[in-house]
Amino acid sequence: MGLLGKIDMKNPEITMICFEEYIDKRGTTRDKHEGDGDFKEVFFGRLIEEGSARMLLKTFDVKKRVYYGNTSMEAEISLLMANQTLAAPGKLIYDPFVGTGSMAYTTAHFGAMVFGSDIDGRQMRGKDRQPGIIRAASQYGVAPRIIDLCTFDITRNPWRCGDLFDAIITDPPYGVRAGAKRLGRKPRLGKTPQNVTVRESPHPVRDNDQPYIPPTKPYELSSLASDLVLLARYMLKPRGRLVFFLPTVTDEYEELDIQAMLCEGMEVVANSLQNFGSWGRRLITIRKSTSQHYPLPTFESAASKSESDTHVPAHRDFREKYFQGFKKLDTD
Amino acid sequence: MVRLITHNLLACHAKGCTSNNFPLQFKDIQIELREAEFNPDFLRGFIPRIEWGALTDAARQLGDTSLPSEPPDMLDDDFLQKLHHVLLEIHVEEGAMVCPNCGHVYPISNGIPNMLLAEHEIG
Ligand SMILES: C[S@@+](CC[C@H](N)C(=O)[O-])C[C@H]1O[C@@H](n2cnc3c(N)ncnc32)[C@H](O)[C@@H]1O
Ligand SMILES: [Zn+2]
């Protein structure tokens, strides 16, 4: 190539770059390094310009954010999730477990308008008068795109109608950091021992803004996941997307776990694994493939289904499995 | 926050409260006006979802009478600007929303409405 200048790694005059082309594996799952080096072609050339996405990792760095919490999602993943929603100006996107709002910022960054709700108002507010999510959104210049934040339990939601959103983007609670919970009485001790779990309460201090905090009961992950798909079918516009994380047990996971939580009119677009060893989380993208109207889910169907259902997904009772270090549960 | 677009989408969901539970009535409110980005395509797409009467009533209650009593057939820029302002630029920061049917009070503080129900109100 006639490159005669001397190599200077610190202050190069030109930078050379190498690309590897792989077979498109979209729609299938693979491990992080699976197939590495197995490329079709290699391109070598001079770097002319870098993409604009790289620097967003720094922009959205959680540690530099004026408001975040122990449930905040890393910048890179929040950006990837926003990308999966096809966020763009004029779109309306919803996070029903918005917490400290990590994905609201990235989705709004791409121009979308965002609604957020959470059962725990303190997650969205933080300590100051102005809600934490609004303060962080202002830091990114997207506060006007945060349409509203509301406090409610998604299983007892006040939405007047469905077919509203272009996408739902969310990291549902799975009881490890932020307890998965819903309104209602806790199961009585002694009656159903396998359901009685000690919920962490990460926020011991009560906010004066919250005059009454109703009692909550645990929400099992596989029911939550099926409910979320049903809710998305109701709340999404046709062709709208549901993008969410599903934690699961690495060794026990099967493709069927995802298929089994679908309902009529909802199809999987993508499923990718972030592997942490014995467990991992899957970023699932599901599309509403129907323009039919469906009723608001009752949030009871999954619970009753789980008993008659023959397929037990690996993410069932994830919380319990997590705290038992993923040893096989005694099933009788 | 609590913009009128949101107000137009929320209904009372207390146990047994299934009729005349929308729109919620504003009470003792403080409002702020804040600019939002104008997106005519979004507005055109959103019009079919709006309960028009509820929107114009709420706007009137907050002192804005710019909207016609029926959405016009011709969605010109002038109309869309007015709709934009009503839907997205009026923020209810404090006060409450009250159910016209069962009287449930949903308080709003620092712009966030608390739509949680008490234990005896869940169906
Ligand atoms: C994993 S966190 C989401 C964190 C968020 N992505 C962030 O950036 O902070 C799950 C959230 O769901 C909320 N949550 C749990 N159960 C809920 C329910 N039934 N309805 C609504 N929100 C709920 C919790 O309060 C918590 O904030
Ligand atoms: Zn009511």
Side-chain angles (χ1 to χ4, degrees):
Chain A
M1 287 176 85
L3 298 170
L4 300 173
K6 71 175 188 340
I7 296 167
D8 179 351
M9 299 301 276
K10 289 218 178 78
N11 272 312
E13 273 173 38
I14 61 165
T15 305
M16 306 304 292
I17 192 162
C18 164
F19 283 100
E20 297 172 356
E21 190 195 349
Y22 288 84
I23 293 166
D24 188 355
K25 291 243 185 79
R26 229 176 325 168
T28 66
T29 54
R30 63 174 194 110
D31 282 338
K32 197 173 174 193
H33 298 292
E34 189 188 312
D36 279 7
D38 233 351
F39 44 76
K40 278 172 36 189
E41 257 185 289
V42 181
F43 301 88
F44 183 67
R46 182 175 165 185
L47 177 69
I48 297 169
E49 186 73 88
E50 282 195 79
S52 55
R54 221 27 61 204
M55 61 191 222
L56 293 179
L57 294 183
K58 281 202 188 116
T59 310
F60 288 99
D61 186 353
V62 173
K63 279 170 284 169
K64 286 188 255 156
R65 191 173 295 162
V66 297
Y67 178 67
Y68 62 89
N70 64 352
T71 62
S72 297
M73 180 70 80
E74 310 86 284
E76 184 173 17
I77 305 284
S78 304
L79 286 159
L80 288 173
M81 291 179 82
N83 195 46
Q84 286 299 96
T85 65
L86 309 178
K91 291 203 180 179
L92 207 51
I93 296 187
Y94 177 39
D95 185 346
F97 301 105
V98 74
T100 63
S102 307
M103 289 92 73
Y105 314 126
T106 53
T107 345
H109 171 79
F110 294 113
M113 291 177 280
V114 185
F115 265 107
S117 63
D118 199 288
I119 196 171
D120 187 352
R122 297 163 299 183
Q123 300 279 352
M124 302 182 284
R125 293 172 192 276
K127 294 201 187 81
D128 293 3
R129 214 191 101 79
Q130 189 180 37
I133 294 187
I134 301 303
R135 284 186 282 127
S138 307
Q139 178 186 355
Y140 301 127
V142 298
R145 296 187 190 149
I146 308 295
I147 294 292
D148 258 303
L149 302 168
C150 302
T151 308
F152 57 80
D153 175 350
I154 192 59
T155 72
R156 311 278 175 188
N157 69 72
W159 292 114
R160 169 176 68 77
C161 59
D163 287 280
L164 282 175
F165 299 110
D166 296 283
I168 291 178
I169 182 172
T170 203
D171 182 25
Y174 42 100
V176 177
R177 289 170 307 173
K181 50 213 167 184
R182 52 195 295 194
L183 293 181
R185 291 184 181 84
K186 287 176 201 164
R188 292 261 293 290
L189 267 162
K191 250 179 137 185
T192 44
Q194 73 275 21
N195 281 338
V196 181
T197 51
V198 191
R199 277 191 303 108
E200 329 92 287
S201 54
H203 302 273
V205 213
R206 274 202 182 177
D207 196 281
N208 294 332
D209 277 334
Q210 300 289 313
Y212 171 70
I213 299 178
T216 53
K217 60 179 187 184
Y219 198 173
E220 192 278 316
L221 184 63
S222 67
S223 329
L224 188 154
S226 317
D227 285 352
L228 184 60
V229 178
L230 288 168
L231 176 81
R233 182 175 65 172
Y234 172 72
M235 300 249 46
L236 288 174
K237 297 180 192 165
R239 304 201 61 74
R241 287 177 166 209
L242 166 64
V243 176
F244 73 105
F245 260 114
L246 183 78
T248 186
V249 187
T250 308
D251 287 345
E252 292 170 32
Y253 168 81
E254 300 169 71
E255 207 89 29
L256 184 60
D257 292 358
I258 309 297
Q259 295 305 322
M261 73 190 192
L262 296 178
C263 53
E264 192 186 86
M266 298 295 275
E267 64 186 25
V268 175
V269 176
N271 170 356
S272 22
L273 173 67
Q274 189 181 21
N275 197 335
F276 300 131
S278 53
W279 72 287
R281 52 182 188 183
R282 287 181 174 272
L283 180 57
I284 313 282
T285 306
I286 290 175
R287 179 172 42 216
K288 176 168 171 177
S289 56
T290 174
S291 48
Q292 226 170 297
H293 293 279
Y294 288 91
L296 178 71
T298 59
F299 299 97
E300 304 296 337
S301 52
S304 54
K305 196 174 110 194
S306 63
E307 274 151 43
S308 56
D309 209 341
T310 44
H311 180 70
V312 178
H315 56 273
R316 169 88 42 91
D317 296 318
F318 181 79
R319 187 199 148 85
E320 285 70 19
K321 291 176 182 169
Y322 182 92
F323 285 111
Q324 291 176 17
F326 300 107
K327 285 180 263 20
K328 271 254 175 286
L329 278 185
D330 207 353
T331 39
D332 50 50
Chain B
M1 319 266 290
V2 189
R3 310 191 202 200
L4 292 190
I5 184 175
T6 308
H7 173 260
N8 205 264
L9 296 173
L10 300 176
C12 179
H13 58 125
K15 179 177 166 181
C17 191
T18 49
S19 61
N20 189 31
N21 56 344
F22 174 87
L24 302 172
Q25 305 298 311
F26 284 120
K27 195 172 157 253
D28 302 332
I29 54 164
Q30 289 168 28
I31 63 173
E32 270 174 36
L33 301 181
R34 262 178 255 145
E35 224 170 280
E37 294 154 307
F38 178 59
N39 187 325
D41 290 335
F42 165 74
L43 294 167
R44 276 190 212 99
F46 194 75
I47 289 173
R49 302 249 65 90
I50 300 175
E51 278 289 337
W52 197 258
L55 183 67
T56 51
D57 283 356
R60 203 171 309 119
Q61 208 192 331
L62 306 187
D64 188 298
T65 53
S66 63
L67 293 180
S69 55
E70 292 289 331
D73 297 330
M74 278 293 293
L75 305 176
D76 59 22
D77 234 42
D78 181 51
F79 164 75
L80 290 174
Q81 289 281 2
K82 286 174 180 154
L83 179 61
H84 166 74
H85 178 71
V86 167
L87 275 182
L88 295 164
E89 298 190 322
I90 309 176
H91 295 245
V92 177
E93 292 295 319
E94 299 292 331
M97 293 184 283
V98 183
C99 173
N101 182 44
C102 74
H104 186 103
V105 178
Y106 297 97
I108 301 169
S109 89
N110 298 318
I112 300 184
N114 185 348
M115 307 302 292
L116 280 172
L117 300 173
E119 200 176 357
H120 62 276
E121 293 166 316
I122 47 189

